[in-house]
Amino acid sequence: MQSNKLLFFGIIIIAAVIVAGMFLARSLLVNNDPIILSVLYSTEKDAWLTDISSGFAGSVNGRPIQLEFEKMGSREIYLSVLDDSRQPDLISPASSLQISILHDQTEAEAGTPVVNMIGAEDCRSVVSTPLVLVAWQERAEALGWLDNPDADMWEQLQSAVVNPQGWAAYNHPEWGFFKFGQTDPNKSNSGLMALLLITYDYFDKVTGLSTADIIADEYAQWFKEFGKFTTVGDSTGTFMQEIVAFGPSKYDMVAVYESTAIEQIENAAGRYGELRVYYPPATVLSDHPFCVLHADWVTSDKADAARQFIDYLLSQPVQEKALALGFRPANPNIALDTPDSPFNRYAANGLKTDLPAEVELPSGEVLNTLINFWNRNHR
Amino acid sequence: MNSRFNKFIVVIVLCITLIACGSETVGSLVGGKEVEVNLVYGSEKQEWLEPLVAEYNAAENKTADGSTIVIKAEPMGSIEAINAIIGEEIQPAVWSPASSVYLPVAEARWQEKFGNELAAKTPPDLVLSPVVIAMWQPMAEALGWPNEPIGWSDISELAISEEGWTAYGYPEWGEFKFGHTHPDFSNSGLVAILAQAYAGVGKQRDLTPDDLLSPELAQFMEQVESSIIHYGSSTGFFADTMFNRGPSYLSATVMYENLVVAQETKRLTGASAQIPVVAIYPKEGTFWTNNPYVILNALWVSDTQKEAAEAFEAFLLDRPQQERAIALGFRPADPSIPLGSPLDTDHGVDPNQPQTVLEVPEADVIEGAQYLWRQAKRPVDVTLVVDTSGSMSGDKINTARNSLVEFINQLSNRDRVQIVLFNSQVSVLSPLTPLADKREELVRRVSGIIEDGDTSLYDAALEAYQQLETDGDPEHIRAVVVLSDGEDTSSVRTWQEVLQEIGANGEEEGGNSIKIFTIAFGSGADTTVLQQMAEPTGGKQFTGDPATIDDVYAEIALFF
């Protein structure tokens, strides 16, 4: 009986200590609950953000900032904000184009825009990268693209794609038909950028693309066949991964960002061979803005946290990492042509630091016409 | 204080302590809640997936709400699986077919049935492997491999030619015996007929519904299909059949590169005594398998199941699991993993191939090609041998009758069917004539079968086999399907005689010999005899009971 009692009180005391300990620990933790910053970003920044996120040690009022990432296609990002299927604090599509569409649309609908325009303190571009064509070297050379074809690049591409002879017309019947791919302009920014460059090039201009241009029958005729044989991907980052995973049997040439090409050059060499990068005669930049949402779930603490994170992304070491991964840093203090920069390392793959002039970005209305044009004329 | 009261208090206190420590701890102590994720997948990746499922389950991974994730994975023909899902026969959370080729058709059918999108999110690719024609190396060499490119058109011509291997100076190899799975049930069968359609119209892309209407294509497909030894529901099983039986049974089969690598690995390590097999990458182009992981957007999939399915997806895409896929002959979906051994010529494959692909056609063209194939497929001469002995009474005879009717319904009008019943006697219920002339009558007769008497299994099997040899058309797939629920009790012929007959015949005709499929019905059946009857012919022995007999007959129908 005596030992029973001892056991009984012993257990009571131990239990009490455990319970007290648990409650004490919990009450202490409350003050340190992290601020969870939910970031929705376009897939092509995945490697960079995954790499640098662990080095971010921001805090607001003593509470640590915890990053919660989700990646998706650029257009899906602003659509998911518009239809409320996601409630992020910070968004980063591939281009400020999506930001201005989101800005205009929410301002028109609700009176106040859900984001500031690019250039505001809470909406800043952190890195940029141009749209390029990437091909398997052996195939690009068979096409005659030893150097950048410059002025008639898109024309040459279109005629290879629509040629019923396919590669047989270039003395390589074993490669079948010519396979070109880009992403879907409905889902992904690089797809819209590619369509924009193709369209500007067709009209032989670099500014002032109009709705009237796009709806001309002649252009639709020209594009239809090209579009019919273009393979379409969802999101630039995953699309570029597919190109390397499947190799030249599935894609000869694709329109993607310079950064995604750089990211995969070494992987490609480990799978099927060298990639070659080509710059269109007029370029367009994906400028990767990070913009804080003006929504009721974004508390002032979260907005603070978001601004800290943007500052961190623009800091020298983080920008250097972006360069190492193939982005062009927004921070002007960082040179592109340092010895270990990918622009140097992959010069033989066709990479260049100097870019041709940019085309003028058309208004949201013209871009919407362009997307509708795609939906009508691409099968 | 009495000790019972003490114990009561102790239990109460312990309970409070545990609750304070959190429900997860309690959960794990009392067994915890589980979330079960059912996954149906193409059999070609069984060797990769099965051990990974076991490992993942053993690690007791948790969802956010603390549920332990339990993955239950079942291999099944890629298209067979989505048919069963849309038919609501099975309700898995994840469907991972061999490739995305059938996805547009599946999507259209899903939306028609359920009114929403098929996939909860864009399905990622798990592992990759090109579709190849696996052929025994000496045969491939006779065709000019590895120096001469070989295509679907060459294989088709070889299949059509009366001379077979004689035209290549190898009369001893006999006919060219070709195999692919059933295109309504398995991905490799579907892509095989799409490739045939491309070869038949001389295109590599832009296959249109109009192309499929050409009478020349129908004739071409019919001729190629005439060399098919039989069909089947799953690519993995077909590969096993070819690699176990060797070159006299099958000359070449449409399958996936990884299955060639797996076989060559076995051969090189001494686990298989066959001659080498190589992958032919068709010169006109081929298709890829990409093994998409489709989390179904279905009402029967809960949010927790979706979360658990995504967690398992992340595990499969993680580097160690991707690296293991290479050892089994897959090309990892993760592009940062370089291609290396065993993806090399030592294992019968070439990582620099394929050089090009055939364009995946639109959904209506895919369905059109399936329809065309059903008209062009090799006809069947089948003898259904049914045990009607007294022991079949009750549930057994009732379910057997219904399953036979279902089986007959799956055959086409060009197929010829004979029905042989046996108890103490052997009797022919219906002779070997085309189904077109007697479908309704046959269904009526089958529905009226009654049971009585002893079991003359050997007599019945032998008589059916010999009759099919005499009356069957060697241009057709010829098969005997035997259903029996007991041991032989009353035959005049002996087991030795049965074995001799089927053994001699099988050796002579290889893959084109008469196949025997047997069903051991219920626990009293003589499984050993039925197995020894089926296996030498290239058929298969099945086990069934009144609850499963319709599935067994349905599976056998896939061979035709």
Side-chain angles (χ1 to χ4, degrees):
Chain A
M1 196 66 195
Q2 191 63 28
S3 66
N4 256 355
K5 261 187 190 164
L6 269 178
L7 181 69
F8 169 69
F9 285 115
I11 287 172
I12 291 278
I13 286 165
I14 291 167
V17 167
I18 291 173
V19 172
M22 295 292 302
F23 283 109
L24 188 64
R26 281 188 185 187
S27 64
L28 284 175
L29 274 176
V30 167
N31 295 333
N32 285 327
D33 268 358
I35 292 175
I36 293 169
L37 188 66
S38 149
V39 187
L40 212 54
Y41 63 91
S42 57
T43 52
E44 58 281 351
K45 286 188 286 278
D46 191 41
W48 179 48
L49 292 181
T50 310
D51 185 28
I52 55 86
S53 62
S54 60
F56 176 62
S59 65
V60 178
N61 300 329
R63 294 169 62 189
I65 302 168
Q66 187 182 318
L67 300 166
E68 200 177 82
F69 284 157
E70 188 181 1
K71 57 181 171 177
M72 54 172 71
S74 291
R75 194 174 143 94
E76 286 177 89
I77 291 178
Y78 80 74
L79 288 179
S80 73
V81 171
L82 283 177
D83 73 11
D84 231 14
S85 61
R86 294 289 190 287
Q87 299 198 326
D89 306 310
L90 185 60
I91 58 169
S92 179
S95 160
S96 50
L97 203 66
Q98 284 86 34
I99 297 298
S100 55
I101 294 175
L102 190 59
H103 177 276
D104 290 357
Q105 196 157 335
T106 48
E107 187 172 46
E109 279 167 13
T112 48
V114 75
V115 281
N116 280 330
M117 291 292 273
I118 189 82
E121 205 247 339
D122 65 357
C123 185
R124 283 174 278 169
S125 161
V126 295
V127 287
S128 71
T129 190
L131 187 93
V132 295
L133 291 183
V134 181
W136 295 94
Q137 181 158 319
E138 193 189 3
R139 304 219 168 177
E141 283 174 1
L143 198 63
W145 289 22
L146 301 181
D147 287 316
N148 223 55
D150 295 331
D152 60 348
M153 169 185 272
W154 293 111
E155 239 172 283
Q156 287 189 33
L157 173 65
Q158 193 260 2
S159 70
V161 169
V162 303
N163 194 328
Q165 303 258 300
W167 278 108
Y170 302 87
N171 300 319
H172 283 282
E174 75 276 17
W175 295 343
F177 55 96
F178 186 93
K179 294 167 273 286
F180 170 69
Q182 65 161 78
T183 59
D184 184 348
N186 289 296
K187 295 178 183 164
S188 153
N189 179 64
S190 75
L192 182 56
M193 296 292 194
L195 182 60
L196 181 66
L197 289 189
I198 291 167
T199 309
Y200 261 127
D201 191 75
Y202 178 83
F203 293 104
D204 207 10
K205 52 184 177 181
V206 291
T207 58
L209 185 68
S210 69
T211 298
D213 286 335
I214 298 167
I215 60 178
D217 271 358
E218 192 197 346
Y219 179 49
Q221 284 308 318
W222 180 89
F223 182 82
K224 227 170 195 154
E225 226 183 330
F226 185 29
K228 179 177 175 183
F229 295 122
T230 297
T231 308
V232 179
D234 277 353
S235 167
T236 322
T238 47
F239 188 53
M240 186 68 214
Q241 285 190 5
E242 252 183 58
I243 287 145
V244 174
F246 288 99
S249 68
K250 205 167 166 186
Y251 302 98
D252 294 307
M253 186 178 283
V254 291
V256 291
Y257 304 117
E258 181 188 61
S259 60
T260 45
I262 291 171
E263 192 185 347
Q264 294 294 339
I265 282 179
E266 270 173 38
N267 288 346
R271 301 280 284 218
Y272 303 103
E274 290 298 331
L275 291 176
R276 187 85 163 71
V277 175
Y278 297 92
Y279 293 84
T283 196
V284 60
L285 287 175
S286 146
D287 59 353
H288 295 289
F290 273 79
C291 304
V292 180
L293 282 199
H294 301 168
D296 49 12
W297 63 84
V298 185
T299 60
S300 65
D301 279 0
K302 283 193 174 204
D304 261 6
R307 278 188 291 268
Q308 279 186 43
F309 185 56
I310 300 173
D311 287 340
Y312 172 72
L313 293 175
L314 286 164
S315 67
Q316 179 109 3
V318 176
Q319 289 273 296
E320 277 168 359
K321 280 201 172 143
L323 172 60
L325 290 168
F327 290 101
R328 295 171 182 246
N331 184 332
N333 300 328
I334 298 166
L336 293 183
D337 53 1
T338 53
D340 55 349
S341 134
F343 291 88
N344 241 333
R345 216 163 54 241
Y346 301 129
N349 298 82
L351 282 167
K352 294 176 179 166
T353 51
D354 293 336
L355 290 176
E358 279 182 74
V359 297
E360 183 190 35
L361 282 189
S363 69
E365 185 204 333
V366 172
L367 288 167
N368 274 332
T369 309
L370 202 54
I371 291 172
N372 290 336
F373 169 84
W374 166 275
N375 292 338
R376 272 199 314 278
N377 295 298
H378 178 272
R379 91 171 164 181
Chain B
M1 247 186 257
N2 73 35
S3 75
R4 196 174 287 172
F5 180 72
N6 276 357
K7 279 181 191 154
F8 175 72
I9 293 286
V10 166
V11 167
I12 294 282
V13 169
L14 276 176
C15 284
I16 291 169
T17 313
L18 290 173
I19 288 162
C21 290
S23 57
E24 278 174 41
T25 326
V26 179
S28 66
L29 283 184
V30 299
K33 50 182 178 175
E34 285 184 347
V35 54
E36 194 175 291
V37 175
N38 286 296
L39 158 68
V40 287
Y41 65 95
S43 60
E44 62 290 323
K45 51 185 176 285
Q46 184 169 12
E47 241 186 298
W48 177 62
L49 259 181
E50 219 165 52
L52 294 180
V53 167
E55 245 171 67
Y56 191 80
N57 287 342
E60 300 193 353
N61 294 281
K62 302 269 194 288
T63 56
D65 72 353
S67 307
T68 305
I69 302 173
V70 179
I71 308 289
K72 294 210 166 148
E74 188 196 347
M76 195 184 259
S78 295
I79 303 169
E80 184 185 10
I82 194 68
N83 287 343
I85 293 167
I86 291 173
E88 293 188 86
E89 294 156 38
I90 53 171
Q91 298 195 322
V94 184
W95 170 49
S96 182
S99 89
S100 295
V101 169
Y102 197 72
L103 279 192
V105 184
E107 179 73 57
R109 292 177 54 202
W110 178 279
Q111 290 195 12
E112 196 184 331
K113 169 104 188 212
F114 299 111
N116 61 357
E117 285 183 8
L118 167 72
K121 66 182 187 70
T122 310
D125 300 342
L126 293 180
V127 285
L128 318 176
S129 195
V131 174
V132 300
I133 299 166
M135 191 181 281
W136 302 102
Q137 188 172 329
M139 293 178 173
E141 279 164 352
L143 297 180
W145 180 91
N147 305 316
E148 290 295 315
I150 302 168
W152 298 104
S153 50
D154 302 304
I155 296 295
S156 303
E157 268 171 40
L158 185 55
I160 291 169
S161 115
E162 303 255 309
E163 285 189 281
W165 289 112
T166 308
Y168 291 86
Y170 292 92
E172 68 273 27
W173 293 344
E175 291 171 48
F176 176 70
K177 295 166 200 114
F178 189 40
H180 65 70
T181 54
H182 198 300
D184 286 340
F185 295 86
S186 156
N187 178 72
S188 66
L190 178 64
V191 300
I193 63 160
L194 291 175
Q196 264 182 44
Y198 271 116
V201 298
K203 282 185 167 185
Q204 292 174 284
R205 69 175 179 189
D206 204 18
L207 190 66
T208 64
D210 279 351
D211 289 331
L212 299 180
L213 296 176
S214 101
E216 291 81 19
L217 176 60
Q219 196 192 359
F220 175 79
M221 204 178 252
E222 199 170 302
Q223 287 174 326
V224 177
E225 291 294 307
S226 69
S227 68
I228 298 291
I229 60 151
H230 60 66
Y231 303 100
S233 69
S234 117
T235 318
F237 173 67
F238 221 114
D240 288 347
T241 309
M242 173 167 174
F243 299 143
N244 290 337
R245 298 188 162 271
S248 65
Y249 188 78
L250 264 165
S251 313
T253 299
V254 179
M255 61 169 82
Y256 310 128
E257 184 188 60
N258 69 288
L259 295 167
V260 172
V261 175
Q263 164 62 14
E264 281 303 278
T265 305
K266 272 190 200 158
R267 188 183 62 81
L268 293 167
T269 55
S272 165
Q274 290 295 356
I275 57 170
V277 68
V278 296
I280 291 171
Y281 303 86
K283 65 182 177 200
E284 302 94 338
T286 188
F287 296 92
W288 279 86
T289 61
N290 54 326
N291 298 287
Y293 184 87
V294 185
I295 301 177
L296 296 173
N297 196 14
L299 284 175
W300 62 77
V301 185
S302 71
D303 286 347
T304 318
Q305 282 173 319
K306 276 186 190 149
E307 182 195 340
E310 280 182 41
F312 185 59
E313 168 192 313
F315 170 75
L316 295 176
L317 293 174
D318 215 7
R319 197 172 178 101
Q321 283 65 254
Q322 288 282 305
E323 279 173 345
R324 268 160 73 173
I326 277 212
L328 298 168
F330 288 101
R331 305 188 186 195
D334 179 344
S336 71
I337 300 175
L339 302 182
S341 175
L343 284 165
D344 50 29
T345 47
D346 288 348
H347 293 81
V349 303
D350 178 359
N352 291 316
Q353 292 279 0
Q355 290 289 304
T356 186
V357 290
L358 296 167
E359 187 183 54
V360 176
E362 308 262 312
D364 57 339
V365 175
I366 292 177
E367 289 185 299
Q370 286 176 308
Y371 178 79
L372 187 63
W373 173 82
R374 280 178 222 127
Q375 314 302 311
K377 71 188 274 286
R378 192 170 170 190
V380 185
D381 284 354
V382 62
T383 300
L384 296 164
V385 180
V386 187
D387 189 340
T388 57
S389 60
S391 56
M392 283 286 287
S393 67
D395 254 5
K396 278 194 198 162
I397 195 76
N398 286 333
T399 53
R401 278 194 293 250
N402 292 338
S403 307
L404 282 167
V405 169
E406 282 297 305
F407 182 85
I408 291 165
N409 285 340
Q410 284 188 47
L411 298 173
S412 78
N413 279 345
R414 292 191 306 150
D415 296 334
R416 302 195 299 175
V417 183
Q418 167 174 250
I419 296 186
V420 172
L421 308 179
F422 70 94
N423 41 30
S424 314
Q425 307 288 320
V426 178
S427 60
V428 174
L429 183 79
S430 175
L432 190 69
T433 49
L435 206 46
D437 308 335
K438 62 174 180 185
R439 190 183 284 274
E440 276 178 35
E441 203 221 321
L442 196 62
V443 167
R444 201 165 43 78
R445 296 287 303 268
V446 166
S447 308
I449 295 173
I450 52 167
E451 77 290 353
D452 187 31
D454 281 340
T455 308
S456 302
L457 172 61
Y458 305 153
D459 285 353
L462 207 53
E463 187 170 332
Y465 191 86
Q466 286 171 334
Q467 268 191 19
L468 198 54
E469 272 210 288
T470 320
D471 302 342
D473 182 345
E475 297 293 308
H476 295 186
I477 296 175
R478 293 170 300 164
V480 178
V481 180
V482 181
L483 171 108
S484 173
D485 80 329
E487 288 178 17
D488 190 293
T489 54
S490 55
S491 281
V492 178
R493 318 288 287 269
T494 64
W495 175 229
Q496 276 312 316
E497 285 177 81
V498 177
L499 276 183
Q500 256 169 19
E501 178 76 29
I502 59 181
N505 201 294
E507 261 171 45
E508 211 171 285
E509 297 183 82
N512 278 324
S513 65
I514 295 172
K515 309 279 173 306
I516 303 182
F517 295 89
T518 55
I519 306 164
F521 196 31
S523 54
D526 191 340
T527 312
T528 317
V529 155
L530 293 173
Q531 189 168 358
Q532 287 176 14
M533 208 185 273
E535 287 202 337
T537 69
K540 202 175 171 185
Q541 184 251 319
F542 296 87
T543 308
D545 55 45
T548 59
I549 188 65
D550 52 340
D551 291 340
V552 172
Y553 270 111
E555 195 176 338
I556 293 174
L558 299 186
F559 285 91
F560 318 134

